[in-house]
Amino acid sequence: MLIPDIEAFEERAAIAEFDGGLSRAAAEDLAAKTQGFPSRDRYWQWLADYVLARKLP
């Protein structure tokens, strides 16, 4: 089971965006992939599901 590290995600995305010159979407895709998610959409969906269910999926 993947459990996202939000702080690491945000930091990696910010670095990729500002230092790497990527768009925010591309930077978030990269950050999500480093945590084992196929895309940023899947990453954010996992978090949304967790918040709504108040338990790990």
Side-chain angles (χ1 to χ4, degrees):
M1 175 181 321
L2 300 172
I3 300 176
D5 180 341
I6 298 169
E7 186 175 324
F9 174 87
E10 292 294 342
E11 182 178 8
R12 182 170 294 273
I15 291 168
E17 181 179 7
F18 293 106
D19 291 344
L22 298 177
S23 67
R24 184 63 184 183
E28 286 186 354
D29 274 335
L30 176 65
K33 288 176 183 175
T34 63
Q35 291 195 33
F37 291 88
S39 68
R40 69 190 179 114
D41 292 333
R42 291 288 306 207
Y43 175 87
W44 289 118
Q45 186 61 56
W46 190 101
L47 287 174
D49 292 345
Y50 174 74
V51 168
L52 293 174
R54 294 186 178 176
K55 63 181 180 180
L56 295 176

